[in-house]
Structures are given as C-alpha cells and as structure tokens.
Amino acid sequence: MLRGIRNVTSNRVGKAIMSVLFGILIVSFAVWGIADIFKGSTQTTLATVGSTDIPLEQFRSAYTDKLQQISRQIRRPLTPIQGRAFGIDRQLLQQTIAEAALDEEARRMGLRMSDAEIVHTISTDPTFAGPNGKFDPARFAMAMRDYSYTEQRYIAEQRRLTLRRELIGSIVAGAEPSKAQIEAISRFQDEQRTVDYAKLGPDQAGTIETPPQDALNTYFEAHKAQFRAPEYRKVVYLTLSPDELAKKVVVSDDDARKIYDSRRGDYVKPDRREVQQIAFQSEDAAKAARAKIAGGMSFDDLAKEMKLTSGDTNLGLVSEKSLGDPIIARAAFALPLNEVSEPVKGALATVLLKVTKIEPGSTEAFEKVAPAIKKEIAEQRVRADFDKMRNAVEDERSGGASIAEAAQKNGLEATTVDVDRSGRTPDGKEAPLPKGVDLITAAFGSDVGVDNDPLTFPGGEVWFDVLGVTPSRDRTLDEVKDQVTARWRDEQVATRLRAKAKELVEKINKGGVFATEVKAAGLTAQTSAPFKREDKVNGLPDIVVDTAFRTAKGSAAMAENTPASSGVVVLQVANVTTPAIDLNSDESKKMKEGLAQNLSDEQIGQYITHLETTLGVKVNENAFAIATGATGNQ
C-alpha cells in the first residue's frame, strides 16, 4: 500500500489527488470523531476469566509468537489463515484461558515465588548453559532475542509458570493406574499372532493384453479428471539473505585460523570419566571402609553394606571441571581405571572414589570446523551490506522496476519458474524454489499485475511477482495415452488378483487346508514369526499385520498392497498367544508411567474445567476474530 502511495505521489497530478483524499479523511474525523484513535477501541478485552482480563493485543502477540515458533520448527512460514485452518487459534485461546484460571486460583490461595527462587530456576536451566555447564548470560540474551522476549517478560512468565506447576502438582499427586488397567492394556499390546500366508503378485494375474482403442477411450472418459493438467503459475522471485550474499564472499584460511585460535577452547572436548563415590562423615570411617576394600571387599559390596543405591554413588560421566570439589576432582582424574582411591578429604566430606570408564578428550581439527568459521565470517561481513541491499531493492521496486530489473541493477540474480500447486514444473520435475518460505501458496493466492509484499523468513526476504497463469485443462487421450494404458493395465491386474485371492479365502474358510489350497493355486505357503500389533513383519506390508489382528484364529482373510496391482496377500491366523504379565518388567513400568501421565492429564483437564466454571469465562468473539486476523476490522 505504501509503495502504491509513493508511486502515485511521484507526479503533480498524483499529489493533488492524494491531497483531496486525505482532506476527505480529515473531514470524516471531524464528523465522526477522532477520539477512538487516541482512546483505543472499545474491544480491548478478548476474554475475561473471573476478575482477570485477557487483552486483545496480548493474545494477538501470543498468536503471532505461536505462528513464528511453529514456522521455525517446520522451516516454512505459517500465515494466520493457515493457523486458523489448523485450529491453532482455538487451541491457543483454550490454553490462555486455562492459564488465566490457574493464575487466578494461585492468587486466591496466596501462592508466591521469591525473586531468589526465580533467579535460581532460570540460572540452572540447561537451555542457557554455556560450554562450562554454567549459566551463560550471552546465551540467555540470544534466546530472548530469537524468541522476541524481554528479560522482564520472560521472568514474569516463568514465575507464573512455576506457580501453575506447583498448583497442578498438588492436584495430580498420587495418580496411579490400577493393576486391572495395566493388565488389560498389557494383554492388548503384548498379544502375539502367527500367520500362514501366500503372496499373489502381478505374475499371478496372467497376461494382460493391450487394450483395444474403444476400451481405452471408455476408460479415459470415465477417469479424465485423473489425467487433467494442473494450473501453472509463471513466477519470478528474488531471494536476499546474509546467507545468500555470504556465498559470494571469499574468506581466507588465515582469517579463519585467527578465529579458530581465539576460540580454541570451544573446540576442545575435555577428558571425561565415569566416577563412583562413597561419602563418609569422618575420615576414620573412610579409612575403616578402605581397609575392607584392601581385605577383598568390592566397591559395590561396600555400597550395598551401607545401603546405598547406584543413584547414590554414581556421579555419571563427568569432566574434571564439572565436579564441584577441586580436591576430589583432581583425585578422580589421577586415579587408574577400576581402582579404588585412598580416602580423599574434600571440602564437605571424606570420600572413596572409583573410576569405571575413561573417555579421552579431543580437539576438533581446524580443517573440520573451517567451513563453518568461514561461513560465520562471511555472514558478519555482509550483514551491514544486507540492509543496504534490501533498501536498494525496495527503492527499485518502489520506482516501478520489475523484480528482474531490481535484481540486475543490484548485481543479484532473479529466478523465473513455471510451477503447479505441488511444486513441480510442466515436465514433472521438482521446481527450484526458495527455502524457508511458502512461495507456492503466496503465488497461487496472487495474480498477474498484483504488487506483492515480500515474503520473510529468519534472516532474509523473497520478492516475487506472478508473470502469467496457465489454467488447468483436460488433456487429450493422445497426450497421456501411455499413462492411461498403464493405469488401465494396473486395474486389470488388481481385479484379477482380488478375484483369485477371494476364491482362495473362501475355500480355506469352508474347511480347505491352507497349504493344500495354496499349492493347488500355484503359490508358495509361508509361516511368519510371532508378531505384535505394532511390529513390522519382514517382507509383508503393514496391512497384513492389521488384518491378522482383525481375523479370528483359524480363519483366512486377504490383505491388499497399495496399490493392489502390486500384490495381494492371503493369510490364515495359525496361532494366538498372550504372554504372561510381569508387572515388574521394564515394559510394564513404562506402561504404568504412560498411564499415570494420562490419568494426570485427565485430572488436570477436569480441575481446569472446574475452575473455569466456578470463576466464569466470557469470550468476545469479535475481538478474537480481530486478534487472529479472521476479520479486517482492526
């Protein structure tokens, strides 16, 4: 719009027209009043939960952040329209209302979190840890920039989040599935089946003669839509990003080596050891325990005698710096493999140490990291140039230059491509399209002569124009005769295979012996290994597994490949086994954890529903539509 105004006002007549238009606008303010512009819209509240108002702008910002977050994850932009199509707007509304209800309840209960607690929570978050494992302010600041957060906003949200977790934790404490639930699900998941089966491939369909012309004509007319040519758009686009500009920058090995040497510590992986430790309250107790080791007792037996678990003694695979006590760290990293140390008097306790694994450190060679360093240097060099180049392109476009002209004047290269909605060119090949943006959706939502806003992606922009539209059309039989013939032949094969398989299944289910009937049909009978519902069976499509668990023991059935012309499988369920249930097995424990999580989620949902009902929830649907872009009333 601004570009259009600029173009119009570039001459005397245009300036006169715009003066009249703005004069009318000013008069309308005088007639209708301008107060709303300064006072704000009356629709500033999107929803109310109890005494808590959810501002329209706050939700609009949250919705934009959510779309950007998803865009980063899927590596392509997600528009507000697409977000609404996926139901993201309603999901976020439900989430925001639930959070407001929990915050309201936390305030009612007087729950608080001190500044010291929130600082500790953030500073111990591994997300913000540097190479030394400690809180890195630079990494924290970078994360805030990447996700468009201020420090104050993040701290406030973390404070609310922690209080919500405390509140919810008290609700779901002790939620556990019953033994009957675990056993029922275990029987369902662990049931195993064995099948006898035979494969019917295209060869079993016999010879398929070349179709007569009238049969081909009839088939084509009945399936003409399947062979229709898609709509194509001729699109010209220009991609500009520091990454693209950096490709033209040559960085010498010497410059890269200087950066490598200045950061050498970043490329060093320190020695690590798996350390076990037993702590004692006194040095004498440690010496007495060491005497037992000398007398033949193992480190593990000593731990058992002291009623310590592996969680109590195993410090994990650690570096020397990550061990908090420097005295203990030096002793651990001087200790030979699988030997028990003499008592080591640390700052807080006297300990015995044992090293069970040694992982030598290493340094990444310059040659390995040089490409990444050079890319970083190149991007830094062109970062300032990027803004200048972007403004230069915009100036050319505002002056009426086409994308190709704007690219040429700035030493860049525009790309022109014919593409359909699937991203393919007329010859069926994948079109060369820019990464990180959905150019296809934008191009098919535009038209020839439309002045399009550039598409943005992290670090860059894409300008595009639609140069032409080739409408979708029905192809003639001559254009797609080979495709039609192949499709007709596939359907003939599929029809014959289904008929043979159906006949074979009927014979078996009427009392025929599987092996005998299969052999008589000229097929080979095979027997599978036992498999569960979620298993992949070698050599068989997934539909066979699904069919086997829907078929009674001793019964036969058929399962088609996709497409059916590639083969059909005839099977008979030979055996059904339900293994004994071991509630102490790892599988049962994992299942119990999963069920407990489901129960917790259900309880949380019921609790939030109760809060929302008690507090009262009101949603301004018009404001919601404005916040999510569903209406143009801004």
Side-chain angles (χ1 to χ4, degrees):
M1 177 178 176
L2 293 176
R3 184 183 297 142
I5 293 174
R6 180 173 177 177
N7 290 338
V8 169
T9 57
S10 61
N11 58 69
R12 185 176 299 174
V13 175
K15 290 179 180 177
I17 293 173
M18 292 309 296
S19 296
V20 172
L21 289 177
F22 278 112
I24 294 172
L25 185 62
I26 292 169
V27 170
S28 71
F29 284 152
V31 174
W32 298 106
I34 196 171
D36 282 350
I37 294 177
F38 299 103
K39 294 181 180 178
S41 169
T42 57
Q43 300 185 50
T44 58
T45 299
L46 184 139
T48 302
V49 182
S51 61
T52 300
D53 289 339
I54 301 173
L56 183 154
E57 286 302 326
Q58 175 185 316
F59 186 84
R60 192 206 303 265
S61 176
Y63 185 55
T64 302
D65 290 347
K66 188 69 173 178
L67 294 180
Q68 291 176 348
Q69 177 187 354
I70 296 173
S71 296
R72 285 190 291 267
Q73 292 172 345
I74 65 177
R75 298 182 180 276
R76 63 187 301 176
L78 190 68
T79 66
I81 295 175
Q82 292 171 322
R84 293 196 302 274
F86 288 123
I88 297 172
D89 55 341
R90 289 289 170 182
Q91 293 173 16
L92 182 61
L93 177 62
Q94 293 172 1
Q95 176 185 330
T96 305
I97 290 173
E99 291 172 350
L102 289 170
D103 293 343
E104 182 99 350
E105 182 67 2
R107 284 193 296 271
R108 188 192 68 78
M109 297 177 67
L111 300 181
R112 297 286 186 274
M113 186 178 188
S114 69
D115 291 341
E117 288 177 305
I118 192 64
V119 169
H120 175 74
T121 299
I122 295 175
S123 62
T124 56
D125 189 336
T127 304
F128 309 126
N132 60 358
K134 297 181 179 179
F135 178 76
D136 185 349
R139 182 165 293 190
F140 175 77
M142 183 183 298
M144 295 301 100
R145 286 195 303 271
D146 289 345
Y147 289 92
S148 302
Y149 268 76
T150 63
E151 181 177 326
Q152 292 76 13
R153 177 186 169 192
Y154 182 76
I155 290 174
E157 289 199 8
Q158 287 302 302
R159 191 189 301 274
R160 290 192 294 269
L161 178 61
T162 303
L163 290 177
R164 291 173 200 146
R165 287 174 176 168
E166 292 291 334
L167 184 57
I168 287 174
S170 66
I171 299 299
V172 301
E176 282 194 2
S178 66
K179 179 181 177 182
Q181 287 177 306
I182 297 174
E183 290 178 343
I185 296 177
S186 179
R187 279 193 296 269
F188 180 83
Q189 292 184 346
D190 292 339
E191 179 184 317
Q192 293 183 328
R193 297 203 170 197
T194 304
V195 297
D196 296 326
Y197 66 92
K199 297 178 179 179
L200 288 81
D203 291 343
Q204 275 71 47
T207 302
I208 306 295
E209 301 293 342
T210 301
Q213 188 62 41
D214 59 343
L216 209 56
N217 290 338
T218 301
Y219 181 83
F220 175 67
E221 290 299 326
H223 301 83
K224 185 177 289 187
Q226 299 176 12
F227 304 99
R228 185 177 175 83
E231 177 184 325
Y232 288 96
R233 296 282 171 116
K234 182 181 287 295
V235 181
V236 59
Y237 68 87
L238 170 62
T239 302
L240 183 65
S241 68
D243 185 53
E244 288 293 323
L245 295 177
K247 292 177 181 178
K248 301 178 181 180
V249 177
V250 178
V251 179
S252 67
D253 285 345
D254 289 342
D255 289 344
R257 174 74 70 175
K258 290 176 184 177
I259 299 296
Y260 176 80
D261 290 338
S262 68
R263 301 178 183 170
R264 188 175 290 273
D266 294 343
Y267 305 111
V268 174
K269 183 180 179 182
D271 294 345
R272 296 198 301 173
R273 294 186 167 205
E274 192 164 294
V275 181
Q276 294 182 340
Q277 170 186 287
I278 298 178
F280 299 89
Q281 294 181 348
S282 67
E283 190 173 355
D284 290 339
K287 289 180 179 179
R290 185 63 182 83
K292 293 181 180 180
I293 297 289
M297 179 178 283
S298 69
F299 190 89
D300 291 340
D301 288 341
L302 176 62
K304 290 178 182 177
E305 182 181 272
M306 297 177 65
K307 297 183 179 179
L308 299 174
T309 66
S310 60
D312 298 323
T313 61
N314 194 346
L315 302 182
L317 194 62
V318 294
S319 64
E320 185 171 352
K321 285 186 177 180
S322 66
L323 285 172
D325 191 319
I327 297 175
I328 293 176
R330 284 194 295 272
F333 276 77
L335 192 63
L337 184 66
N338 292 324
E339 289 191 14
V340 180
S341 71
E342 294 298 324
V344 179
K345 189 173 183 180
L348 300 176
T350 300
V351 301
L352 293 181
L353 302 168
K354 181 180 179 182
V355 174
T356 58
K357 180 181 179 181
I358 297 177
E359 188 178 275
S362 61
T363 301
E364 287 188 282
F366 170 74
E367 291 73 19
K368 182 178 179 181
V369 298
I373 295 176
K374 289 182 178 181
K375 183 174 182 291
E376 180 184 347
I377 294 173
E379 288 180 351
Q380 289 175 348
R381 290 178 180 176
V382 302
R383 200 166 298 280
D385 294 337
F386 169 74
D387 291 332
K388 294 179 182 178
M389 188 70 73
R390 179 193 176 282
N391 292 336
V393 172
E394 275 294 320
D395 287 342
E396 292 293 338
R397 294 284 287 149
S398 297
S402 67
I403 287 179
E405 291 169 340
Q408 184 178 12
K409 289 182 180 180
N410 289 282
L412 303 171
E413 185 177 348
T415 302
T416 302
V417 62
D418 286 288
V419 64
D420 67 10
R421 291 181 185 274
S422 69
R424 297 193 173 276
T425 58
D427 59 1
K429 296 180 179 178
E430 188 173 343
L433 298 173
K435 306 296 183 184
V437 295
D438 187 1
L439 178 58
I440 292 176
T441 299
F444 276 84
S446 181
D447 209 338
V448 177
V450 175
D451 187 14
N452 304 294
D453 291 330
L455 305 175
T456 61
F457 61 93
E461 294 188 7
V462 176
W463 291 265
F464 77 97
D465 279 335
V466 177
L467 302 180
V469 177
T470 302
S472 175
R473 64 177 180 84
D474 286 333
R475 291 189 175 108
T476 64
L477 177 57
D478 289 340
E479 289 181 273
V480 290
K481 187 172 183 178
D482 290 344
Q483 298 175 38
V484 175
T485 303
R487 189 77 61 85
W488 179 88
R489 183 185 181 284
D490 286 345
E491 289 202 8
Q492 297 301 308
V493 170
T495 299
R496 292 188 185 186
L497 291 181
R498 289 192 190 100
K500 286 193 172 186
K502 183 179 179 181
E503 181 183 0
L504 194 53
V505 167
E506 289 176 351
K507 288 180 178 179
I508 296 169
N509 284 335
K510 288 179 180 179
V513 177
F514 185 88
T516 302
E517 297 297 342
V518 164
K519 184 177 181 180
L523 304 175
T524 302
Q526 301 180 66
T527 301
S528 73
F531 55 86
K532 298 179 182 179
R533 295 175 190 273
E534 302 300 324
D535 286 348
K536 299 286 185 182
V537 181
N538 290 335
L540 292 175
D542 293 342
I543 188 65
V544 171
V545 176
D546 182 60
T547 303
F549 278 91
R550 290 188 287 106
T551 304
K553 180 179 179 180
S555 295
M558 57 181 279
E560 296 183 8
N561 288 349
T562 304
S565 59
S566 64
V568 177
V569 177
V570 173
L571 63 92
Q572 183 180 39
V573 178
N575 194 25
V576 177
T577 304
T578 303
I581 299 172
D582 180 5
L583 295 178
N584 295 318
S585 67
D586 291 339
E587 290 79 6
S588 294
K589 291 178 180 178
K590 289 179 181 178
M591 183 187 302
K592 184 177 180 180
E593 291 174 0
L595 287 172
Q597 183 63 54
N598 291 339
L599 287 173
S600 296
D601 292 343
E602 187 175 339
Q603 287 185 354
I604 292 170
Q606 292 175 351
Y607 176 63
I608 290 175
T609 299
H610 166 73
L611 287 180
E612 292 175 0
T613 302
T614 303
L615 295 170
V617 176
K618 296 179 181 178
V619 177
N620 184 333
E621 291 293 342
N622 190 40
F624 175 71
I626 293 173
T628 58
T631 177
N633 297 331
Q634 301 296 321

